Amino acid sequence: MAQQPIDRSRLRPARSLLLLICLLAGAFFSSTQAQSCGSQGIAVQVLGSGGPELQDKRASSSYLVWQDGRPRVLVDAGGGSALRFGESGAQMSQLDVILFTHFHVDHSADFSALIKSSWFEDRNRPLPIYGPAGNDFMPSTVEFVSDFFGDRRGVYRYLSELLVPGENSSYKLQPHNVIANTKPAVVFRSGDLVLSAVRVVHDGVPALAWRIEIGSKSIVFSGDTNGNGEGLPLLASNSDLFIAHNAVPEGATGVERNLHMPPSVIGQVAADAKVKSLVLSHRMLRTLGKEDQTQAEIKKRYSGPMVFANDLDCFPVK
Ligand SMILES: [Zn+2]
């Protein structure tokens, strides 16, 4: 799918020629070939830019953060993302960690497919998995993983060695429940990789937004949220790249609005947080085709560059 035009409105006319050259060179956003994403420096690859509807012809929500040719962090694993993961050239054995924002189907359905694929790779270190704690309505992250791979009741109990390794098993899944608050907190550190989370409101579903920092670069994933509360702008503060979910149009009401941010709220969060660039993903039938309206609403509040995501797009973090 073709990349949407980049918003150049914040740029001063005197710099327009230089800017055009920079844009053509992919200085802000570029959609490079899948196999080369993140070959140098930090980049985010969109594995799934869609929502739950199959007719959007997009994989559901999933993102891969690359550093110098290595995929380090997977965020969510919605339906279709396992295929996109393979197309990206990544291997499960290369991941440092998997993060979940929440456990709706469109964010988690391909988890078991990804894990099964890893069975055929040579991974010798544990694979940590972080996601929300549960409630009466949704499983916790620990429950979610054991509901698949637990040795007694797991759907795929034939792979239970992944949770309770035997003598010859190669690696172990390490699920963790994140007890998140309304203020961002560091959840995970490994070398130059720092992961922080904050609780966000997604109707009654336990949900997290994530900030991934590698060295001086920062990427923030809103996940699904209606934008209520101060946690998301705090988490996204001064981030290099903010990936927000464009699941409902302006004027949405009822359940849709309780679940998701309309464009005006996305724009306000991006402005309050002073993010350096904005990527709009989780595009659904109700927002596809309304990009001009969406962009106009966001621009009333946020003047930085923004772009609409497509599957396998690669966004280098400059
Ligand atoms: Zn969703």
Side-chain angles (χ1 to χ4, degrees):
M1 278 173 271
Q3 183 85 350
Q4 298 291 324
I6 291 166
D7 173 20
R8 299 165 186 171
S9 62
R10 76 175 190 146
L11 304 161
R12 288 192 290 271
R15 298 173 61 194
S16 60
L17 182 59
L18 175 63
L19 178 66
L20 183 60
I21 294 166
C22 289
L23 285 170
L24 290 172
F28 284 128
F29 295 118
S30 63
S31 177
T32 52
Q33 286 299 307
Q35 298 290 334
S36 62
C37 186
S39 57
Q40 287 186 317
I42 315 292
V44 180
Q45 187 157 31
V46 178
L47 298 184
S49 62
E53 301 149 303
L54 303 178
Q55 292 74 21
D56 62 23
K57 298 184 175 62
R58 297 160 183 270
S60 300
S61 193
S62 186
Y63 308 96
L64 200 51
V65 177
W66 292 83
Q67 182 180 19
D68 297 331
R70 189 162 73 86
R72 298 195 65 182
V73 184
L74 178 71
V75 181
D76 283 347
S81 62
L83 174 62
R84 297 283 183 254
F85 187 94
E87 289 173 331
S88 79
Q91 297 215 341
M92 288 293 291
S93 56
Q94 298 172 299
L95 289 178
D96 286 332
V97 59
I98 295 177
L99 308 179
F100 282 105
T101 60
H102 65 293
F103 292 112
H104 273 156
V105 169
D106 58 314
H107 296 254
S108 61
D110 269 11
F111 172 69
S112 55
L114 287 160
I115 296 302
K116 176 57 188 174
S117 180
S118 76
W119 196 262
F120 298 91
E121 297 176 23
D122 187 22
R123 184 185 180 98
N124 298 307
R125 59 194 172 121
L127 179 55
I129 301 163
Y130 289 88
N135 63 7
D136 290 344
F137 187 58
M138 298 296 280
S140 71
T141 302
V142 171
E143 285 173 321
F144 178 80
V145 174
S146 66
D147 285 351
F148 281 113
F149 302 116
D151 58 352
R152 285 173 169 263
R153 304 290 300 167
V155 173
Y156 302 125
R157 68 195 76 157
Y158 77 104
L159 298 175
S160 63
E161 278 196 22
L162 287 163
L163 275 175
V164 186
E167 272 182 26
N168 299 317
S169 47
S170 57
Y171 82 99
K172 186 180 180 190
L173 300 172
Q174 290 182 331
H176 303 273
N177 298 335
V178 176
I179 313 297
N181 213 322
T182 51
K183 294 252 169 62
V186 172
V187 172
F188 176 92
R189 279 181 199 273
S190 176
D192 59 351
L193 175 66
V194 181
L195 309 175
S196 307
V198 74
R199 192 169 74 208
V200 291
V201 181
H202 185 39
D203 208 353
V205 177
L208 304 173
W210 284 100
R211 181 182 180 110
I212 298 176
E213 292 172 287
I214 302 179
S216 62
K217 309 296 185 194
S218 54
I219 307 144
V220 172
F221 299 86
S222 73
D224 287 358
T225 176
N226 63 17
N228 288 357
E230 297 304 309
L232 184 56
L234 284 173
L235 186 80
S237 182
N238 294 304
S239 54
D240 293 304
L241 196 63
F242 177 43
I243 299 188
H245 284 181
N246 179 215
V248 296
E250 200 64 29
T253 57
V255 174
E256 290 181 10
R257 181 63 187 86
N258 290 338
L259 287 164
H260 294 293
M261 296 185 280
S264 57
V265 175
I266 294 174
Q268 195 61 54
V269 171
D272 290 347
K274 299 183 172 60
V275 304
K276 297 188 183 117
S277 55
L278 172 63
V279 171
L280 298 162
S281 188
H282 203 293
R283 305 169 68 189
M284 295 181 61
L285 298 182
R286 57 201 181 201
T287 51
L288 286 162
K290 293 183 179 162
E291 287 76 12
D292 288 349
Q293 181 199 342
T294 297
Q295 205 159 352
E297 284 295 336
I298 291 173
K299 278 166 71 172
K300 288 178 188 171
R301 295 160 181 85
Y302 170 71
S303 56
M306 74 176 103
V307 67
F308 291 89
N310 294 308
D311 286 12
L312 291 177
D313 276 357
C314 180
F315 299 107
V317 182
K318 301 289 181 183

Short mmCIF file of all heavy atoms in Angstrom, two decimals, residues 38-103:
data_model
loop_
_atom_site.label_atom_id
_atom_site.label_comp_id
_atom_site.label_asym_id
_atom_site.label_seq_id
_atom_site.Cartn_x
_atom_site.Cartn_y
_atom_site.Cartn_z
N GLY A 38 15.72 -0.91 10.07
CA GLY A 38 16.56 -0.87 11.27
C GLY A 38 17.93 -1.46 11.08
O GLY A 38 18.57 -1.86 12.05
N SER A 39 18.42 -1.53 9.86
CA SER A 39 19.75 -2.11 9.66
C SER A 39 20.83 -1.23 10.28
O SER A 39 21.89 -1.71 10.66
CB SER A 39 20.03 -2.35 8.18
OG SER A 39 19.90 -1.14 7.47
N GLN A 40 20.54 0.08 10.37
CA GLN A 40 21.45 0.99 11.07
C GLN A 40 20.64 1.86 12.02
O GLN A 40 19.68 2.50 11.60
CB GLN A 40 22.19 1.88 10.08
CG GLN A 40 23.25 1.13 9.29
CD GLN A 40 24.05 2.08 8.43
OE1 GLN A 40 23.49 2.98 7.80
NE2 GLN A 40 25.36 1.91 8.40
N GLY A 41 21.02 1.89 13.27
CA GLY A 41 20.30 2.71 14.24
C GLY A 41 19.00 2.07 14.69
O GLY A 41 18.79 0.86 14.54
N ILE A 42 18.11 2.92 15.25
CA ILE A 42 16.85 2.44 15.82
C ILE A 42 15.73 2.69 14.82
O ILE A 42 15.68 3.75 14.19
CB ILE A 42 16.52 3.22 17.12
CG1 ILE A 42 17.75 3.35 18.03
CG2 ILE A 42 15.33 2.61 17.83
CD1 ILE A 42 18.22 2.08 18.62
N ALA A 43 14.83 1.75 14.70
CA ALA A 43 13.66 1.93 13.83
C ALA A 43 12.48 1.14 14.38
O ALA A 43 12.66 0.13 15.05
CB ALA A 43 13.97 1.50 12.40
N VAL A 44 11.28 1.63 14.06
CA VAL A 44 10.06 0.89 14.39
C VAL A 44 9.46 0.37 13.09
O VAL A 44 9.28 1.13 12.14
CB VAL A 44 9.00 1.79 15.06
CG1 VAL A 44 7.75 0.99 15.39
CG2 VAL A 44 9.56 2.41 16.32
N GLN A 45 9.18 -0.91 13.06
CA GLN A 45 8.48 -1.48 11.91
C GLN A 45 7.05 -1.82 12.32
O GLN A 45 6.83 -2.47 13.36
CB GLN A 45 9.20 -2.72 11.41
CG GLN A 45 8.59 -3.23 10.11
CD GLN A 45 9.55 -4.07 9.30
OE1 GLN A 45 10.41 -4.73 9.85
NE2 GLN A 45 9.41 -4.02 8.00
N VAL A 46 6.11 -1.39 11.51
CA VAL A 46 4.70 -1.67 11.77
C VAL A 46 4.40 -3.04 11.16
O VAL A 46 4.41 -3.20 9.95
CB VAL A 46 3.80 -0.59 11.13
CG1 VAL A 46 2.33 -0.91 11.36
CG2 VAL A 46 4.15 0.78 11.68
N LEU A 47 4.15 -4.03 12.01
CA LEU A 47 3.78 -5.35 11.48
C LEU A 47 2.30 -5.38 11.16
O LEU A 47 1.89 -5.99 10.18
CB LEU A 47 4.12 -6.45 12.49
CG LEU A 47 5.61 -6.60 12.84
CD1 LEU A 47 5.80 -7.78 13.78
CD2 LEU A 47 6.47 -6.76 11.59
N GLY A 48 1.51 -4.73 11.99
CA GLY A 48 0.07 -4.67 11.76
C GLY A 48 -0.44 -3.26 11.98
O GLY A 48 -0.32 -2.72 13.08
N SER A 49 -1.04 -2.67 10.93
CA SER A 49 -1.53 -1.29 11.01
C SER A 49 -3.04 -1.23 11.11
O SER A 49 -3.62 -0.15 11.08
CB SER A 49 -1.07 -0.51 9.77
OG SER A 49 -1.63 -1.10 8.60
N GLY A 50 -3.70 -2.40 11.19
CA GLY A 50 -5.15 -2.42 11.19
C GLY A 50 -5.75 -2.68 12.55
O GLY A 50 -5.04 -2.78 13.57
N GLY A 51 -7.07 -2.79 12.56
CA GLY A 51 -7.80 -3.17 13.77
C GLY A 51 -8.29 -4.60 13.63
O GLY A 51 -7.68 -5.41 12.95
N PRO A 52 -9.42 -4.92 14.27
CA PRO A 52 -9.90 -6.30 14.24
C PRO A 52 -10.54 -6.73 12.92
O PRO A 52 -10.66 -7.94 12.68
CB PRO A 52 -10.98 -6.32 15.35
CG PRO A 52 -10.82 -5.04 16.10
CD PRO A 52 -10.17 -4.07 15.18
N GLU A 53 -10.97 -5.79 12.07
CA GLU A 53 -11.73 -6.17 10.88
C GLU A 53 -10.81 -6.72 9.79
O GLU A 53 -9.83 -6.08 9.41
CB GLU A 53 -12.46 -4.95 10.32
CG GLU A 53 -13.41 -4.31 11.31
CD GLU A 53 -13.51 -2.81 11.09
OE1 GLU A 53 -12.49 -2.11 11.11
OE2 GLU A 53 -14.63 -2.34 10.86
N LEU A 54 -11.14 -7.89 9.26
CA LEU A 54 -10.31 -8.48 8.21
C LEU A 54 -10.41 -7.69 6.92
O LEU A 54 -9.49 -7.68 6.10
CB LEU A 54 -10.73 -9.93 7.98
CG LEU A 54 -10.65 -10.82 9.24
CD1 LEU A 54 -11.13 -12.23 8.94
CD2 LEU A 54 -9.23 -10.84 9.81
N GLN A 55 -11.55 -7.01 6.72
CA GLN A 55 -11.76 -6.28 5.47
C GLN A 55 -10.89 -5.03 5.34
O GLN A 55 -10.84 -4.42 4.28
CB GLN A 55 -13.24 -5.89 5.33
CG GLN A 55 -14.18 -7.06 5.13
CD GLN A 55 -14.40 -7.88 6.40
OE1 GLN A 55 -14.18 -7.39 7.52
NE2 GLN A 55 -14.82 -9.13 6.25
N ASP A 56 -10.19 -4.68 6.42
CA ASP A 56 -9.26 -3.54 6.28
C ASP A 56 -7.99 -3.97 5.53
O ASP A 56 -7.15 -3.14 5.18
CB ASP A 56 -8.92 -2.89 7.64
CG ASP A 56 -8.23 -3.84 8.61
OD1 ASP A 56 -7.62 -4.84 8.17
OD2 ASP A 56 -8.29 -3.58 9.84
N LYS A 57 -7.89 -5.29 5.28
CA LYS A 57 -6.76 -5.84 4.51
C LYS A 57 -5.42 -5.48 5.15
O LYS A 57 -4.42 -5.28 4.46
CB LYS A 57 -6.82 -5.39 3.05
CG LYS A 57 -8.08 -5.88 2.35
CD LYS A 57 -8.07 -5.52 0.87
CE LYS A 57 -9.25 -6.12 0.15
NZ LYS A 57 -10.56 -5.67 0.62
N ARG A 58 -5.41 -5.43 6.45
CA ARG A 58 -4.20 -5.14 7.22
C ARG A 58 -4.10 -6.16 8.34
O ARG A 58 -5.11 -6.65 8.84
CB ARG A 58 -4.29 -3.74 7.87
CG ARG A 58 -4.38 -2.63 6.86
CD ARG A 58 -4.95 -1.33 7.44
NE ARG A 58 -5.05 -0.35 6.36
CZ ARG A 58 -4.10 0.49 6.02
NH1 ARG A 58 -2.98 0.54 6.72
NH2 ARG A 58 -4.24 1.31 5.00
N ALA A 59 -2.88 -6.46 8.73
CA ALA A 59 -2.72 -7.25 9.95
C ALA A 59 -3.18 -6.40 11.13
O ALA A 59 -3.16 -5.16 11.08
CB ALA A 59 -1.27 -7.67 10.13
N SER A 60 -3.62 -7.07 12.19
CA SER A 60 -4.01 -6.35 13.40
C SER A 60 -2.77 -5.89 14.15
O SER A 60 -1.64 -6.21 13.79
CB SER A 60 -4.88 -7.24 14.28
OG SER A 60 -6.05 -7.63 13.60
N SER A 61 -2.98 -5.19 15.24
CA SER A 61 -1.93 -4.39 15.88
C SER A 61 -0.68 -5.18 16.28
O SER A 61 -0.76 -6.20 16.97
CB SER A 61 -2.54 -3.77 17.14
OG SER A 61 -1.69 -2.76 17.62
N SER A 62 0.47 -4.69 15.83
CA SER A 62 1.76 -5.28 16.20
C SER A 62 2.90 -4.41 15.67
O SER A 62 2.80 -3.86 14.57
CB SER A 62 1.89 -6.68 15.60
OG SER A 62 3.06 -7.32 16.04
N TYR A 63 3.95 -4.31 16.47
CA TYR A 63 5.10 -3.46 16.12
C TYR A 63 6.39 -4.14 16.53
O TYR A 63 6.45 -4.84 17.54
CB TYR A 63 5.01 -2.10 16.83
CG TYR A 63 3.70 -1.41 16.62
CD1 TYR A 63 2.68 -1.53 17.57
CD2 TYR A 63 3.44 -0.69 15.47
CE1 TYR A 63 1.44 -0.92 17.36
CE2 TYR A 63 2.21 -0.09 15.26
CZ TYR A 63 1.22 -0.21 16.21
OH TYR A 63 0.00 0.38 16.00
N LEU A 64 7.43 -3.84 15.77
CA LEU A 64 8.74 -4.41 16.05
C LEU A 64 9.75 -3.27 16.14
O LEU A 64 9.79 -2.41 15.24
CB LEU A 64 9.10 -5.35 14.89
CG LEU A 64 10.15 -6.41 15.04
CD1 LEU A 64 9.92 -7.27 16.28
CD2 LEU A 64 10.17 -7.29 13.79
N VAL A 65 10.53 -3.24 17.20
CA VAL A 65 11.56 -2.21 17.34
C VAL A 65 12.92 -2.84 17.02
O VAL A 65 13.33 -3.82 17.66
CB VAL A 65 11.57 -1.63 18.77
CG1 VAL A 65 12.71 -0.62 18.93
CG2 VAL A 65 10.23 -0.96 19.06
N TRP A 66 13.57 -2.27 16.03
CA TRP A 66 14.86 -2.77 15.54
C TRP A 66 16.01 -1.90 16.04
O TRP A 66 15.86 -0.70 16.20
CB TRP A 66 14.90 -2.74 14.01
CG TRP A 66 14.01 -3.68 13.29
CD1 TRP A 66 12.69 -3.50 13.00
CD2 TRP A 66 14.36 -4.95 12.71
NE1 TRP A 66 12.20 -4.57 12.29
CE2 TRP A 66 13.20 -5.47 12.09
CE3 TRP A 66 15.56 -5.69 12.65
CZ2 TRP A 66 13.20 -6.71 11.43
CZ3 TRP A 66 15.55 -6.91 11.99
CH2 TRP A 66 14.38 -7.42 11.40
N GLN A 67 17.15 -2.53 16.23
CA GLN A 67 18.39 -1.79 16.47
C GLN A 67 19.52 -2.46 15.71
O GLN A 67 19.82 -3.65 15.92
CB GLN A 67 18.74 -1.75 17.96
CG GLN A 67 20.00 -0.94 18.24
CD GLN A 67 20.37 -0.89 19.70
OE1 GLN A 67 19.92 -1.73 20.49
NE2 GLN A 67 21.19 0.07 20.07
N ASP A 68 20.13 -1.71 14.81
CA ASP A 68 21.29 -2.19 14.06
C ASP A 68 21.07 -3.60 13.49
O ASP A 68 21.90 -4.50 13.66
CB ASP A 68 22.54 -2.16 14.94
CG ASP A 68 22.89 -0.74 15.38
OD1 ASP A 68 22.56 0.20 14.63
OD2 ASP A 68 23.45 -0.57 16.47
N GLY A 69 19.93 -3.78 12.85
CA GLY A 69 19.66 -5.04 12.17
C GLY A 69 19.12 -6.14 13.05
O GLY A 69 18.90 -7.26 12.56
N ARG A 70 18.87 -5.83 14.31
CA ARG A 70 18.35 -6.87 15.22
C ARG A 70 17.00 -6.44 15.78
O ARG A 70 16.87 -5.33 16.31
CB ARG A 70 19.35 -7.06 16.37
CG ARG A 70 19.01 -8.27 17.25
CD ARG A 70 20.22 -8.68 18.07
NE ARG A 70 20.52 -7.76 19.17
CZ ARG A 70 19.95 -7.84 20.38
NH1 ARG A 70 19.06 -8.76 20.63
NH2 ARG A 70 20.28 -6.98 21.32
N PRO A 71 15.98 -7.32 15.67
CA PRO A 71 14.69 -7.00 16.29
C PRO A 71 14.77 -7.23 17.78
O PRO A 71 15.05 -8.34 18.23
CB PRO A 71 13.74 -7.99 15.63
CG PRO A 71 14.59 -9.16 15.29
CD PRO A 71 15.98 -8.62 15.02
N ARG A 72 14.53 -6.19 18.57
CA ARG A 72 14.73 -6.31 20.03
C ARG A 72 13.43 -6.44 20.80
O ARG A 72 13.37 -7.16 21.79
CB ARG A 72 15.53 -5.11 20.56
CG ARG A 72 16.93 -5.02 19.96
CD ARG A 72 17.82 -4.08 20.76
NE ARG A 72 18.08 -4.60 22.10
CZ ARG A 72 18.79 -3.97 23.02
NH1 ARG A 72 19.31 -2.78 22.74
NH2 ARG A 72 18.97 -4.48 24.22
N VAL A 73 12.40 -5.67 20.39
CA VAL A 73 11.16 -5.64 21.18
C VAL A 73 9.97 -5.83 20.24
O VAL A 73 9.85 -5.13 19.22
CB VAL A 73 11.00 -4.30 21.92
CG1 VAL A 73 9.77 -4.33 22.81
CG2 VAL A 73 12.25 -3.96 22.72
N LEU A 74 9.08 -6.75 20.60
CA LEU A 74 7.81 -6.91 19.90
C LEU A 74 6.71 -6.35 20.78
O LEU A 74 6.62 -6.70 21.97
CB LEU A 74 7.54 -8.39 19.62
CG LEU A 74 6.21 -8.72 18.92
CD1 LEU A 74 6.23 -8.26 17.47
CD2 LEU A 74 5.92 -10.23 18.99
N VAL A 75 5.90 -5.45 20.23
CA VAL A 75 4.78 -4.87 20.98
C VAL A 75 3.48 -5.38 20.36
O VAL A 75 3.15 -5.04 19.22
CB VAL A 75 4.81 -3.33 20.94
CG1 VAL A 75 3.64 -2.76 21.74
CG2 VAL A 75 6.13 -2.79 21.45
N ASP A 76 2.76 -6.21 21.07
CA ASP A 76 1.50 -6.80 20.65
C ASP A 76 1.68 -7.78 19.48
O ASP A 76 2.70 -7.77 18.78
CB ASP A 76 0.45 -5.73 20.28
CG ASP A 76 -0.16 -5.08 21.53
OD1 ASP A 76 0.04 -5.62 22.63
OD2 ASP A 76 -0.84 -4.06 21.39
N ALA A 77 0.69 -8.62 19.32
CA ALA A 77 0.78 -9.69 18.32
C ALA A 77 -0.63 -10.01 17.81
O ALA A 77 -1.13 -11.13 17.96
CB ALA A 77 1.44 -10.93 18.92
N GLY A 78 -1.27 -9.03 17.19
CA GLY A 78 -2.61 -9.23 16.66
C GLY A 78 -2.63 -10.18 15.47
O GLY A 78 -1.57 -10.55 14.93
N GLY A 79 -3.82 -10.59 15.05
CA GLY A 79 -3.96 -11.52 13.94
C GLY A 79 -3.27 -11.02 12.67
O GLY A 79 -3.42 -9.87 12.30
N GLY A 80 -2.53 -11.90 12.02
CA GLY A 80 -1.80 -11.52 10.81
C GLY A 80 -0.38 -11.09 11.08
O GLY A 80 0.45 -11.04 10.17
N SER A 81 -0.08 -10.76 12.34
CA SER A 81 1.25 -10.22 12.63
C SER A 81 2.34 -11.28 12.54
O SER A 81 3.50 -10.95 12.26
CB SER A 81 1.28 -9.53 13.99
OG SER A 81 1.01 -10.45 15.04
N ALA A 82 1.99 -12.55 12.74
CA ALA A 82 3.02 -13.60 12.64
C ALA A 82 3.53 -13.69 11.20
O ALA A 82 4.74 -13.82 10.97
CB ALA A 82 2.45 -14.94 13.10
N LEU A 83 2.62 -13.59 10.24
CA LEU A 83 3.05 -13.59 8.84
C LEU A 83 3.93 -12.37 8.55
O LEU A 83 5.00 -12.48 7.93
CB LEU A 83 1.83 -13.58 7.92
CG LEU A 83 2.11 -13.42 6.43
CD1 LEU A 83 2.94 -14.59 5.90
CD2 LEU A 83 0.79 -13.32 5.65
N ARG A 84 3.50 -11.21 9.02
CA ARG A 84 4.29 -9.98 8.81
C ARG A 84 5.66 -10.08 9.50
O ARG A 84 6.66 -9.58 8.99
CB ARG A 84 3.54 -8.76 9.33
CG ARG A 84 2.24 -8.47 8.63
CD ARG A 84 2.48 -7.82 7.28
NE ARG A 84 1.21 -7.48 6.67
CZ ARG A 84 0.65 -8.13 5.65
NH1 ARG A 84 1.29 -9.15 5.08
NH2 ARG A 84 -0.51 -7.76 5.16
N PHE A 85 5.68 -10.72 10.66
CA PHE A 85 6.95 -10.91 11.37
C PHE A 85 7.92 -11.67 10.48
O PHE A 85 9.08 -11.29 10.31
CB PHE A 85 6.69 -11.68 12.68
CG PHE A 85 7.88 -11.79 13.59
CD1 PHE A 85 8.07 -10.87 14.61
CD2 PHE A 85 8.79 -12.82 13.45
CE1 PHE A 85 9.16 -10.98 15.47
CE2 PHE A 85 9.89 -12.94 14.30
CZ PHE A 85 10.07 -12.01 15.31
N GLY A 86 7.43 -12.76 9.86
CA GLY A 86 8.29 -13.52 8.94
C GLY A 86 8.71 -12.68 7.75
O GLY A 86 9.89 -12.70 7.34
N GLU A 87 7.77 -11.89 7.22
CA GLU A 87 8.10 -11.04 6.06
C GLU A 87 9.14 -9.98 6.42
O GLU A 87 9.89 -9.52 5.56
CB GLU A 87 6.83 -10.38 5.54
CG GLU A 87 5.88 -11.35 4.86
CD GLU A 87 4.55 -10.73 4.48
OE1 GLU A 87 4.11 -9.78 5.17
OE2 GLU A 87 3.94 -11.20 3.52
N SER A 88 9.16 -9.57 7.67
CA SER A 88 10.10 -8.53 8.09
C SER A 88 11.54 -9.02 8.09
O SER A 88 12.48 -8.23 8.10
CB SER A 88 9.75 -8.02 9.50
OG SER A 88 10.22 -8.93 10.49
N GLY A 89 11.71 -10.34 8.09
CA GLY A 89 13.06 -10.90 8.16
C GLY A 89 13.52 -11.16 9.59
O GLY A 89 14.64 -11.64 9.80
N ALA A 90 12.67 -10.84 10.57
CA ALA A 90 13.05 -11.03 11.98
C ALA A 90 12.97 -12.51 12.37
O ALA A 90 12.28 -13.30 11.71
CB ALA A 90 12.12 -10.23 12.88
N GLN A 91 13.68 -12.86 13.42
CA GLN A 91 13.59 -14.19 14.01
C GLN A 91 13.22 -14.06 15.48
O GLN A 91 13.72 -13.16 16.17
CB GLN A 91 14.93 -14.91 13.88
CG GLN A 91 15.32 -15.14 12.44
CD GLN A 91 16.06 -16.45 12.25
OE1 GLN A 91 16.59 -17.02 13.19
NE2 GLN A 91 16.10 -16.93 11.02
N MET A 92 12.39 -14.95 15.94
CA MET A 92 11.98 -14.92 17.35
C MET A 92 13.16 -15.06 18.30
O MET A 92 13.15 -14.52 19.40
CB MET A 92 10.96 -16.03 17.62
CG MET A 92 9.59 -15.79 17.01
SD MET A 92 8.75 -14.40 17.78
CE MET A 92 8.42 -15.06 19.42
N SER A 93 14.16 -15.80 17.88
CA SER A 93 15.32 -16.01 18.76
C SER A 93 16.10 -14.73 19.01
O SER A 93 16.91 -14.65 19.93
CB SER A 93 16.24 -17.07 18.16
OG SER A 93 16.62 -16.70 16.86
N GLN A 94 15.84 -13.69 18.19
CA GLN A 94 16.59 -12.44 18.34
C GLN A 94 15.95 -11.48 19.35
O GLN A 94 16.58 -10.51 19.77
CB GLN A 94 16.68 -11.73 16.98
CG GLN A 94 17.44 -12.53 15.92
CD GLN A 94 17.33 -11.86 14.56
OE1 GLN A 94 16.24 -11.70 14.01
NE2 GLN A 94 18.46 -11.45 14.02
N LEU A 95 14.68 -11.73 19.71
CA LEU A 95 13.96 -10.78 20.56
C LEU A 95 14.50 -10.75 21.98
O LEU A 95 14.78 -11.81 22.57
CB LEU A 95 12.47 -11.13 20.62
CG LEU A 95 11.61 -10.90 19.38
CD1 LEU A 95 10.19 -11.36 19.65
CD2 LEU A 95 11.63 -9.43 18.97
N ASP A 96 14.55 -9.55 22.56
CA ASP A 96 14.88 -9.41 23.98
C ASP A 96 13.64 -9.54 24.85
O ASP A 96 13.72 -10.01 25.98
CB ASP A 96 15.52 -8.04 24.26
CG ASP A 96 16.95 -7.99 23.76
OD1 ASP A 96 17.59 -9.05 23.71
OD2 ASP A 96 17.40 -6.88 23.41
N VAL A 97 12.50 -9.09 24.32
CA VAL A 97 11.31 -9.02 25.17
C VAL A 97 10.06 -8.84 24.29
O VAL A 97 10.13 -8.27 23.20
CB VAL A 97 11.45 -7.86 26.20
CG1 VAL A 97 11.65 -6.53 25.51
CG2 VAL A 97 10.29 -7.80 27.17
N ILE A 98 8.94 -9.38 24.79
CA ILE A 98 7.63 -9.13 24.17
C ILE A 98 6.78 -8.31 25.14
O ILE A 98 6.74 -8.62 26.34
CB ILE A 98 6.90 -10.46 23.85
CG1 ILE A 98 7.67 -11.26 22.79
CG2 ILE A 98 5.47 -10.20 23.37
CD1 ILE A 98 7.04 -12.62 22.47
N LEU A 99 6.11 -7.28 24.62
CA LEU A 99 5.22 -6.45 25.43
C LEU A 99 3.80 -6.56 24.91
O LEU A 99 3.58 -6.60 23.69
CB LEU A 99 5.65 -4.97 25.35
CG LEU A 99 7.11 -4.66 25.66
CD1 LEU A 99 7.36 -3.16 25.50
CD2 LEU A 99 7.47 -5.13 27.06
N PHE A 100 2.85 -6.59 25.82
CA PHE A 100 1.45 -6.51 25.43
C PHE A 100 0.84 -5.24 26.02
O PHE A 100 1.10 -4.88 27.18
CB PHE A 100 0.66 -7.72 25.95
CG PHE A 100 0.85 -8.96 25.13
CD1 PHE A 100 1.65 -10.00 25.59
CD2 PHE A 100 0.24 -9.09 23.89
CE1 PHE A 100 1.84 -11.15 24.82
CE2 PHE A 100 0.42 -10.23 23.11
CZ PHE A 100 1.22 -11.26 23.58
N THR A 101 -0.01 -4.60 25.21
CA THR A 101 -0.76 -3.45 25.74
C THR A 101 -2.03 -3.93 26.43
O THR A 101 -2.44 -3.38 27.44
CB THR A 101 -1.14 -2.47 24.62
OG1 THR A 101 -1.96 -3.14 23.64
CG2 THR A 101 0.12 -1.91 23.94
N HIS A 102 -2.65 -4.98 25.87
CA HIS A 102 -3.84 -5.60 26.47
C HIS A 102 -4.15 -6.86 25.68
O HIS A 102 -3.46 -7.15 24.69
CB HIS A 102 -5.02 -4.63 26.52
CG HIS A 102 -5.56 -4.22 25.18
ND1 HIS A 102 -4.84 -3.45 24.28
CD2 HIS A 102 -6.74 -4.47 24.55
CE1 HIS A 102 -5.55 -3.24 23.21
NE2 HIS A 102 -6.71 -3.85 23.34
N PHE A 103 -5.18 -7.59 26.09
CA PHE A 103 -5.40 -8.91 25.50
C PHE A 103 -6.66 -9.02 24.65
O PHE A 103 -7.22 -10.10 24.52
CB PHE A 103 -5.35 -9.98 26.59
CG PHE A 103 -3.97 -10.12 27.16
CD1 PHE A 103 -3.69 -9.74 28.47
CD2 PHE A 103 -2.93 -10.59 26.37
CE1 PHE A 103 -2.41 -9.84 28.98
CE2 PHE A 103 -1.64 -10.70 26.86
CZ PHE A 103 -1.37 -10.32 28.17
#
